[in-house]
Amino acid sequence: MGCTRWHQLDRYLYTAEVSQTFQSPFGRVWDLSELLRARSLQYWRPGKHLCVDEAIARFTRRASEVVIIKTKPTPEGFKI
């Protein structure tokens, strides 16, 4: 996704009420995430041959969600 497209989406997409307070950084998208999870399970049932791959997206600034795994090629970032 290009930078211009991201700014177009970010300008109009807001997933929380203005007066809400959040306990978690992911609190703003929790309701949306739960809706997407429920709909995904409704439309798709995973079979017994399923593989899940994990990765670390490089991020070196300060955030409580950053993980550090020194044996990975990208040792510091967000675990996806």
Side-chain angles (χ1 to χ4, degrees):
M1 177 184 310
C3 182
T4 304
R5 182 64 178 153
W6 167 252
H7 287 297
Q8 289 171 345
L9 290 172
D10 187 48
R11 181 177 178 185
Y12 296 107
L13 183 65
Y14 191 74
T15 60
E17 296 294 326
V18 176
S19 62
Q20 282 181 316
T21 59
F22 303 103
Q23 302 298 324
S24 163
F26 302 110
R28 292 178 187 254
V29 294
W30 183 259
D31 293 333
L32 178 62
S33 173
E34 289 299 313
L35 176 68
L36 290 174
R37 184 189 328 255
R39 295 295 166 96
S40 296
L41 289 173
Q42 178 182 353
Y43 295 120
W44 181 70
R45 298 279 179 200
K48 60 183 177 179
H49 301 294
L50 178 68
C51 178
V52 177
D53 190 17
E54 68 177 25
I56 294 183
R58 182 179 299 275
F59 186 81
T60 55
R61 297 183 189 143
R62 287 191 256 176
S64 61
E65 297 80 21
V66 170
V67 295
I68 299 173
I69 304 174
K70 294 182 181 182
T71 58
K72 293 278 189 180
T74 305
E76 185 177 356
F78 295 119
K79 192 171 184 181
I80 304 171

